[in-house]
Amino acid sequence: MKSFTYERAQSPREAAAAVERVQGAKFIAGGTNLLDLMKLEIETPVHLIDVNGLALDKIEPTAEGGLRIGALVRNTDLAADARVRRDYGVLSRALLAGASGQLRNKATTAGNLLQRTRCPYFYDTNQPCNKRQPGSGCGALAGFSRQHAVIGGSEACIATHPSDMAVAMRALDAVIETVRADGTVRRIPIADFYRTPGNTPHLETALMPGELITAVVLPKPVGGVHVYRKVRDRVSYAFALVSVGAIVQPDGSGRVALGGVAHKPWRMEVAERALPRGAKAVSEQLLAGAKPTHENEFKLPLVERTLQAVLTQARS
Amino acid sequence: MRFDSPSTTNPIDQLKVVGHPLDRIDGPFKTTGTARYAYEQHDVVANQAYGYVVGAAIAKGRIVSMDLAAAQAAPGVVAIVTAENAGKLSKGSLNTAMLLGGPQIQHYHQAVALVVAETFEQARAAASLVRVTYARENGAFDLAAARDTAPLRQGESGGASIGDFPGAFAAAPVQQDATYTTPDQSHAMMEPHASIAAWDGDKLTVWTSNQMIAWGVRDLAITLGVPRENVRLVSPYIGGGFGGKLFPRSDLLLASLGARIARRPVKVALTRPLIANNTTHRPATIQRIRIGATADGKITAIGHESWSGNLRGGSPENAIQQTRLLYAGANRLTAVRLAVLDLPEGNAMRAPGEAPGLMALEIAMDEMAEKLNIDPVEFRILNDTQVDPEHPERRFSQRQLVECLRLGAERFAWAERKAQPAQVRDGRWLVGMGVAAGFRNNLVTPSGARVRLDGRGVVTVETDMTDIGTGSYTIIAQTAAEMMGVDIEKVVVRLGDSRFPISAGSGGQWGANMATSGVYAACVKLREAVAQKLGFNSSDAAFRDGYVQQGNRRVSLGEAAGEAGLSAEDTIEFGDLSRRYQQSTFAAHFVEVGVDAATAEVRMRRMLAVAAAGRILNPKSARSQMIGAMTMGVGGALMEELAVDKRQGFFVNHDLAGYEVPVHADIHNQEVIFLDEVDPMSSPMKAKGVGELGLCGVSAAIANAVYNATGVRVRDYPVTLDKLITGLPA
């Protein structure tokens, strides 16, 4: 770990200004991912701005009938919120499928969105990784790739996004609210928030330097049956091989987002029109153009079978 | 004491303390954090500096240059150890690779430097400033590709050819011939390797985490080139070892070198990402098994060949061991082949040989039973043998495998299993049952102890035996209490210090039986000393309730010992009983799994082990050994695999996020039954061991249950959903 300086921010704008001011500065909230990465010198911030003191830890109703989730709301609290449990079940279930109780107590809503990949080549600084060190190559592409992306990747990177929560947020059409040093507020639909890796896998989101997430806004509830199904080798405390977040309406329409298959939560609204025709039709569209490796091609049938099980569960 | 004839009645047979499910005497220390593990020995020596290990970034090649300037100039740095300034180092007798690499690099993450600083954080930060330039060389990293280059292992351990295997197999009416693979596995013990070293002149003391104190002393002395008597090794508590801490690893050597160069005590722990590649692992295997049988299920030919790889000079994973002894059959072929691979050093992990060997053999037995249309429990019973099949004049000292299988089948309701796979559904789950035999040899080796009786009647036992979480403290206390006729509260046990008599140590599941036998021997001597002092005839004197009594004369032990106390020391040594009789432990493992009909996720539902392993010294700690081992078997069956990058030559998933072991949620219903057995051939304790037996066969029972649930036969471990998903029933 490199030495770093540290300050506690007093307001969101001030925090944003501090990161903008100091080259190589980063925000820290729960620190459940950042501190690990700093110990391994995968992240080497020279300055940390602690945002835990900002009053961004409330869950409030919006005028539109949705919920505004403060960036600092802990995963445990979000999963347990009665409104979330009632109206946004897919989110509560996704949160509880992730990490462990201890980590969820610490991890924040915004931090969860910004988790880095768990690709082992990203984690080993002796190995090439375009995400960690642009231009160094991708170790996973012809290496150990069982966990990796099957769609939306590139020759530069086949890492997946590890978050469960983000998959549910994508299914719910959440909107990410940010603030910049000059006070500019942006509202970024989650569909536009994550980038595919392309030739710049080190750029993961639409956030500008210094831009601070202040909240995640959920639109008003859409009803339906909410399911989150995470498939993994052990029962708990493992990243998804594949996960499916789904909201299924009584008329058979609905929404489907996938985890564990791409550089970002994977959803295609156009594919959802095929929902009444069943899992196969939806999966074929969701995964059209997929480029799995020999080690992860099992994810293609796994997505379809998991979605089938999710739809069966939702309709029973 | 020499043990060379079968044990007759002795004081242990009273079973007043031995054989009872007593709580661990070290339990409260562990639960209150007062049991100090190696890295926590903050107060044993002042002025400890922190070392941080730098691992090689290549698998094979040479260091061209090292630039230490930036690291040396970093805040807090006290010293940097490399091969350049370490002085002449030798290789320990049990090591395959050098613990400190350079200029030659033998495997990925081989230590190339230790950075010593005032704080851990400073050492870690400076370590990242060490700049190493390597000249990379091509290596062999793929066992399957190297398979054909692997020469046959010669000698007794390399296998045997009995009768006419090829002829008998070819002539067998029913044949089974398949190849199985097991992956490289990591010990993944909770406590990382850690050591604190301090020099006082030319005398070295190390506080470390080591299963075999005497091996540690010997190999550290050899490596450093110092006299053995100048090295003291202390390891009172060990947070798991599983064979990964049998002999010195880089933490121990580098702490010693760091302390010498820094001229102050140095502590070193291996970070989790280093452990998979820097230390040892269980090597992967390829195993071909052929079984020929008559139509009514009698095995006429059994063949087991195993391939594994290791660094040059390393040894093979001896996966054929159990096949030489487990089942009858007149014509037999076993062979071991070892390829040279440039992956990290392979070595012992819990039940080396038998664990991966049974993973393969016990699937083959399941496959053969199905071909024969015989229940797999019955097929195993049908081929039981009470003698060593290679040397029929050698009987087993005790062999209750059939009893284990029968009792297990009854308790598990095995009769409800459907012989045809993929027949049972419970909601979303495809349900299946599997069985496998467990087998692990009982090994005997000398073990010593010293016993002291003081004026308060307190018995203190000292031996360099270790407690790696197994319960050694408790069973040793039980043994001394039984022998001396005192309550267990009157016994103090001190372990894991090379100043104490040399014991068998913790390995090969021999620790319980050997260490307590050593204590037994020392207590026999102490009883003689007490009797002699009182003028009693030692064979007539009774030791009970804190007194020694002969006829009408009764003296408290404290009074007998007097102010000066009495002490005795002895070592149990073994004659040829283990050559005249085959000594082994046996189990039957039964499991029920659910396989998700959609995703093919495998989840455990029930596990039962029935074990016959001689006298069970403490049913509670023995049960803990068994259920821990069964849990490890779940890992081996369903998730554990060190993934090899065959281009870069390293284990990729080198942390506990990538190398998955079972978590609590994976393990539900575990049951253990011990058969009532004593084995007078094994030792005066009439015990054997269960720490490895509990693992042996479990993974195959699970693989067989998955087959029974789904109809998909997976012969390559771990049995993960990707190997099942396209074959699931519609």
Side-chain angles (χ1 to χ4, degrees), chain B residues 654-668:
Chain B
H654 51 62
D655 62 30
L656 292 180
Y659 186 86
E660 290 181 17
V661 297
V663 295
H664 282 92
D666 287 296
I667 306 298
H668 296 273

Side-chain angles (χ1 to χ4, degrees), chain A residues 121 124 139 146 229 234 305, chain B residues 108 428 596 598 645 654 661:
Chain A
Y121 295 91
D124 188 334
R146 183 169 180 267
R229 183 67 195 281
R234 64 180 172 193
R305 297 182 68 105
Chain B
Y108 192 72
R428 60 187 256 218
D596 189 293
D645 186 313
H654 51 62
V661 297

Side-chain angles (χ1 to χ4, degrees), chain A residues 1 39 41 120-121 124 126-127 139 142-144 146 229 231-235 238 241 298 302 305-306 309, chain B residues 57 108 124-125 128 428 596-599 601 603 643 645 647-648 650 652 654 660-661 666 720 722 725 728:
Chain A
M1 187 185 272
K39 289 173 186 173
E41 297 199 5
Y121 295 91
D124 188 334
N126 292 325
Q127 300 301 322
F144 174 54
R146 183 169 180 267
R229 183 67 195 281
V231 181
R232 40 189 163 174
D233 291 321
R234 64 180 172 193
V235 179
L241 292 168
F298 71 92
L302 183 58
R305 297 182 68 105
T306 308
Chain B
Y108 192 72
R124 180 174 61 189
S128 76
R428 60 187 256 218
D596 189 293
T599 64
E601 290 164 290
R603 301 296 184 240
D645 186 313
R647 305 154 308 158
Q648 304 291 326
F650 76 114
V652 184
H654 51 62
E660 290 181 17
V661 297
D666 287 296
T720 44
D722 45 302
I725 189 144
L728 289 184

Side-chain angles (χ1 to χ4, degrees), chain B residues 1-7 10 397 442-449 502-505 509-521 570-581 583 679-688:
Chain B
M1 176 183 290
R2 192 166 169 79
F3 182 77
D4 51 12
S5 57
S7 190
N10 68 44
S397 60
N442 181 58
L443 304 173
V444 296
T445 178
S447 194
I502 293 174
S503 73
Q509 84 169 6
W510 60 59
N513 186 28
M514 294 300 102
T516 54
S517 294
V519 173
Y520 170 92
D570 203 1
T571 295
I572 186 96
E573 290 172 296
F574 293 85
D576 65 353
L577 279 176
S578 65
R579 280 188 292 281
R580 282 160 50 205
Y581 296 88
Q583 300 184 12
D679 191 339
M681 307 292 180
S682 75
S683 77
M685 302 301 292
K686 305 172 187 171
K688 288 187 276 204

Side-chain angles (χ1 to χ4, degrees), chain A residues 297-316:
Chain A
E297 59 194 3
F298 71 92
K299 289 191 177 186
L300 304 184
L302 183 58
V303 164
E304 183 189 325
R305 297 182 68 105
T306 308
L307 180 57
Q308 177 61 54
V310 164
L311 296 179
T312 304
Q313 183 188 337
R315 287 164 185 165
S316 66

Side-chain angles (χ1 to χ4, degrees), chain B residues 621-637:
Chain B
S621 57
R623 179 180 182 278
S624 291
Q625 284 282 289
M626 290 289 294
I627 62 174
M630 289 154 71
T631 302
M632 194 177 247
V634 173

